[in-house]
Structure formats: structure tokens, C-alpha cells
């Protein structure tokens, strides 16, 4: 997909920039090319970028340009979250629903980038905001892509691998939760779109499985109960047989594919 982008010339006055932007929009309209409208930091106020983005959208509409992608180029997580939320609220007041591109500048420290992307993108995606995402400096695109997939998976926006849910270990847990979860992950981690709950006991386990497709729940010492959704379909399976029975259950419900 091709987008028309006009880099901002900071040396121009406000009137000069509006004149330049107007010429640019007319050229994009004539060429039938979508426009990416992006708002950056503003010294006049923390939330001014959102106001400027909406004003830019209104100018685009006056020029008959409505094939828009809206975005921000902001340096911090709080600025991005606050301005995106405000811009979306202002757009909704006008009955507008343009796609939003969520973007964060990359960080030299990938761990910092991971945390920032998780907080910013996760917060907005869980609000139902965001049509596309972008992060990273382009130096390690595979790591950036994996990070984005993980954020999308965590926010429930796009399922690209198996999702696992487990309860916090407590005194009622009837098996080693960590080793059991890792063992089941190794066998089922390739099942895209499948959600598996691994719960230590039947006291709280079934209620905490949320919308899991399958459940592996401690029923008694050395015994496992298996669930499909919230329905218990097999009880008292010896622990040494439970993994195989879970795999069989996944297969009988058409959710199994062989690993590549």
C-alpha cells in the first residue's frame, strides 16, 4: 500500500504550512493516493498534538481528501496514550472513524522498547483503538515483528500462537504448576488460536479458566480433570496419562494440527 506523506518543515509559519499542506492534499487527491496524517510534539501543551491532528483531518476533508490514516510521532508512552485517546474521543464526537496507526520510536535497549510497546500499544488496543502498529528502529526487524505479534496476542487482537492461562500457585495446587505448564506448552505451543487453561485445583480453577477452549485441572492428588470450555468431560485421569488424554481431546474437537 502506498501512502502520501508530507514531512513538516519547521521553518515555515503556520499560514505557510497550511498553504503547503493544501497543495500537497490536492496533489494526493488527484493521484488517488491515501494520506497519512501525523501529529508530533507541541510546546504549547501536552494534549495539543491531538487537537492539531483533528484540525488537520478537518482541513483534509475540506479539500475532499478522506482516504486518511491518522498517527502520532511522540517521544513518550504517556504522551502517546493520552493524545490517541483524546483524538479518538474528538473524532467520535464528530461521528468520524478514521483508522489509527499506533507508532512508538525505537529504543537502543530492546528491553525498554518491549516494556514501552507493551504498555502503550496494550493499553490502546485493549480500549479497542488501533488499526496498525509500528515500533523499532528497523535494525532488528525480526525482533520488532515478534514483539508486535506478542503485544497483539496479549491484547487479544490477533491470535498468532497458542494462548495459555494458569492460576497463581497456592497451597491447594495438586501438581507442580510451572513444570506442568512448560511440559504442555512444548506439546501444544504450535496450535494457533487455541487457548488452554492449566489450573492447580478444582476449587477456583474452573471459574478462572475464562474463555479457554480446553482445561487441565487438578482434581485430586495424582488425578487430573479435563475440560472443554467450562464443561468437565473427563474426571480422575492418572497424571501420567493426562497429557495424552488432553492431546486426544484437542484432536477429537478438530483443534489439532501436526507441528511443522
Amino acid at each position: 500500500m502506498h501512502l502520501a506523506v508530507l514531512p513538516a518543515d519547521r521553518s515555515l509559519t503556520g499560514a505557510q504550512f497550511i498553504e503547503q499542506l493544501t497543495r500537497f492534499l490536492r496533489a494526493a487527491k488527484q493521484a488517488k493516493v491515501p494520506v497519512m496524517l501525523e501529529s508530533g510534539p507541541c510546546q504549547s501543551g501536552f494534549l495539543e498534538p491531538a487537537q492539531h491532528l483533528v484540525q488537520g483531518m478537518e482541513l483534509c476533508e475540506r479539500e475532499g481528501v478522506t482516504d486518511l490514516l491518522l498517527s502520532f510521532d511522540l517521544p513518550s508512552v504517556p504522551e502517546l496514550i493520552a493524545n490517541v485517546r483524546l483524538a479518538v474521543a474528538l473524532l467520535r464526537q464528530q461521528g468520524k472513524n478514521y483508522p489509527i496507526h499506533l507508532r512508538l520510536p525505537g529504543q537502543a535497549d530492546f528491553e525498554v522498547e518491549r516494556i514501552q510497546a507493551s504498555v502503550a500499544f496494550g493499553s490502546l488496543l485493549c480500549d479497542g483503538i488501533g488499526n496498525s502498529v509500528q515500533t523499532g528502529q528497523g535494525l532488528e526487524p525480526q525482533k520488532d515483528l515478534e514483539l508486535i505479534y506478542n503485544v497483539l496476542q496479549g491484547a487479544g487482537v490477533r491470535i498468532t500462537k497458542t494462548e495459555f492461562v494458569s492460576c497463581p500457585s497456592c497451597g491447594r495446587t495438586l501438581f507442580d504448576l510451572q513444570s506442568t505448564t512448560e511440559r504442555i506448552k512444548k506439546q501444544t505451543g504450535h496450535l494457533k488460536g487455541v487457548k488452554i487453561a492449566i489450573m492447580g485445583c478444582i476449587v477456583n480453577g474452573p471459574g478462572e479458566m475464562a474463555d479457554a477452549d480446553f482445561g487441565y485441572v487438578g482434581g485430586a492428588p495424582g488425578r487430573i480433570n479435563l475440560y472443554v470450555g467450562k464443561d468437565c468431560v473427563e474426571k480422575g485421569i492418572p497424571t501420567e496419562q493426562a497429557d495424552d488424554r488432553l492431546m486426544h481431546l484437542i484432536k477429537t474437537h478438530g483443534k489439532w494440527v501436526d507441528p511443522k
Side-chain angles (χ1 to χ4, degrees):
M1 179 180 180
H2 296 284
L3 289 171
V5 179
L6 175 66
D9 185 346
R10 301 294 181 183
S11 67
L12 298 179
T13 65
Q16 289 172 331
F17 177 71
I18 293 298
E19 181 181 351
Q20 183 188 63
L21 178 58
T22 300
R23 291 198 303 269
F24 168 78
L25 292 173
R26 290 171 180 171
K29 181 182 178 182
Q30 184 175 6
K32 298 181 180 179
V33 177
V35 171
M36 181 174 180
L37 194 61
E38 188 173 78
S39 183
C42 183
Q43 295 181 351
S44 59
F46 184 77
L47 293 174
E48 282 302 303
Q51 303 284 354
H52 290 170
L53 188 70
V54 173
Q55 291 167 6
M57 178 271 297
E58 292 170 346
L59 174 60
C60 290
E61 290 186 337
R62 287 197 297 271
E63 292 297 327
V65 176
T66 56
D67 195 357
L68 299 173
L69 178 64
L70 307 185
S71 185
F72 289 95
D73 181 12
L74 297 171
S76 74
V77 170
E79 282 181 279
L80 178 66
I81 294 175
N83 277 280
V84 169
R85 284 176 172 164
L86 176 58
V88 169
L90 294 172
L91 290 170
R92 286 174 178 169
Q93 287 179 0
Q94 298 186 29
K96 311 295 183 182
N97 188 32
Y98 288 109
I100 304 292
H101 179 63
L102 303 179
R103 178 174 179 265
L104 270 178
Q107 298 290 334
D109 186 333
F110 185 74
E111 183 64 15
V112 173
E113 181 180 325
R114 183 183 68 82
I115 293 171
Q116 290 186 347
S118 299
V119 172
F121 296 159
S123 298
L124 294 167
L125 291 169
C126 286
D127 286 346
I129 299 171
N131 300 84
S132 58
V133 295
Q134 176 188 349
T135 189
Q137 297 177 322
L139 301 177
E140 297 184 84
Q142 185 61 39
K143 289 179 70 173
D144 294 336
L145 190 60
E146 288 176 3
L147 169 59
I148 290 172
Y149 279 159
N150 287 334
V151 172
L152 293 173
Q153 173 97 14
V157 174
R158 180 172 296 175
I159 305 302
T160 59
K161 56 187 177 181
T162 316
E163 185 171 356
F164 297 93
V165 179
S166 61
C167 61
S169 183
C170 69
R172 291 190 293 265
T173 302
L174 296 169
F175 54 79
D176 186 293
L177 198 60
Q178 183 173 353
S179 63
T180 300
T181 300
E182 288 302 315
R183 189 179 68 246
I184 292 175
K185 278 185 176 181
K186 288 181 180 179
Q187 300 174 80
T188 62
H190 64 288
L191 301 176
K192 179 179 177 180
V194 175
K195 189 172 185 178
I196 300 174
I198 303 166
M199 300 292 166
C201 74
I202 59 172
V203 177
N204 295 323
E208 295 176 353
M209 289 195 299
D211 57 348
D213 300 300
F214 302 96
Y216 180 107
V217 181
R223 301 284 172 170
I224 301 298
N225 296 349
L226 296 180
Y227 286 72
V228 175
K230 292 190 176 182
D231 297 325
C232 183
V233 295
E234 296 191 45
K235 287 185 177 182
I237 304 168
T239 300
E240 59 272 16
Q241 301 175 19
D243 288 17
D244 288 341
R245 294 301 302 163
L246 175 62
M247 304 310 135
H248 177 73
L249 193 62
I250 294 171
K251 290 176 182 178
T252 59
H253 283 77
K255 298 287 188 177
W256 182 268
V257 294
D258 291 329
K260 296 180 180 179

